[in-house]
Amino acid sequence: MRYRSQRKRSRIPTIALVGYTNAGKSTLLNQLTKSDLYVADQLFATLDPTTRHIELSGGYQALLTDTVGFIQKLPTTLIAAFQATLEEITEADLLLHVVDISHLNALNHINRFRKHWKRSARTSRPSALNKIDRLNQPEVARETVRKYSKAVAISARKRIGLPELLNLIQRELYELHTNPCSIAISARMP
């Protein structure tokens, strides 16, 4: 909570990585911020939201937060950990929905997320369709990108599509910045 209030005062835009568990949120945060967070293909490898600086083109910066992954039927013992994630999500300027495009229910995950968060008008919600390197037919991801606005096909692990994702993030933050009731994009001080 203390860190969240400091981030608000700094006026640096915040991006929350959201999505189901094992979608690749921690791997993506590591790649974009040159961090080394623990990454594992298991439920709740991330139990607390973790925030790191991300450098964007033109000397701009933002804060990127890795959140606890969504799951169906959350165990009651983990509700407190998920509460911190919900707080980060509601405070973020941009929600980057990370989707494991190789998952059998990937399209359902996208639709459920977009339906649930469409009421949040002030927050942008682009999608990173991750793990395209696991697809036998990568064109499936490209077709999905065309179907959904503000989506990019990536492989966080293999660094495929990350420049396009960074461009999308910067465009979305710029749109929020030019909207009269939004945030300021913070330039790095020389």
Side-chain angles (χ1 to χ4, degrees):
M1 179 117 135
R2 184 182 82 209
Y3 294 117
R4 195 175 305 123
S5 63
Q6 287 174 341
R7 290 193 303 256
K8 274 185 175 179
R9 283 193 305 274
S10 75
R11 306 266 309 144
I12 295 174
T14 56
I15 304 160
L17 298 176
V18 298
Y20 281 86
T21 194
N22 293 329
K25 297 180 300 299
S26 298
T27 300
L28 183 58
L29 181 126
N30 282 342
Q31 294 287 15
L32 294 178
T33 66
K34 299 175 180 69
S35 297
D36 61 351
L37 292 178
Y38 176 72
V39 175
D41 188 10
Q42 66 185 44
L43 284 178
F44 304 113
T46 302
L47 283 174
D48 292 307
T50 303
T51 302
R52 299 286 185 268
H53 278 90
I54 181 173
E55 298 292 327
L56 301 169
S57 66
Y60 294 105
Q61 63 180 336
L63 296 173
L64 188 64
T65 301
D66 182 17
T67 64
V68 177
F70 304 151
I71 63 163
Q72 308 277 340
K73 301 175 184 168
L74 183 67
T76 54
T77 56
L78 295 173
I79 289 175
F82 200 70
Q83 182 61 37
T85 281
L86 290 176
E87 290 169 8
E88 289 294 337
I89 290 170
T90 58
E91 295 293 323
D93 298 301
L94 188 145
L95 301 181
L96 180 57
H97 186 211
V98 181
V99 179
D100 176 355
I101 195 64
S102 69
H103 192 281
L104 292 174
N105 291 325
L107 297 180
N108 188 23
H109 291 172
I110 295 169
N111 292 330
R112 193 176 297 158
F113 173 83
R114 288 180 176 228
K115 180 180 177 184
H116 182 77
W117 289 100
K118 74 179 176 183
R119 290 168 273 177
S120 177
R122 84 171 179 88
T123 305
S124 178
R125 298 166 306 279
S127 297
L129 308 181
N130 193 23
K131 302 186 182 183
I132 61 170
D133 55 305
R134 291 187 176 182
L135 295 174
N136 292 331
Q137 299 174 326
E139 58 275 0
V140 170
R142 290 181 191 87
E143 289 172 23
T144 304
V145 165
R146 285 191 290 276
K147 183 177 177 182
Y148 295 98
S149 65
K150 300 178 185 177
V152 177
I154 69 165
S155 168
R157 187 171 59 89
K158 294 197 173 185
R159 302 189 57 79
I160 298 168
L162 297 188
E164 293 85 356
L165 178 61
L166 287 169
N167 287 336
L168 175 60
I169 289 169
Q170 188 140 355
R171 278 195 318 270
E172 291 301 302
L173 289 176
Y174 179 78
E175 264 186 43
L176 290 170
H177 174 66
T178 58
N179 184 340
C181 60
S182 64
I183 60 163
I185 296 179
S186 176
R188 191 174 69 215
M189 302 303 260

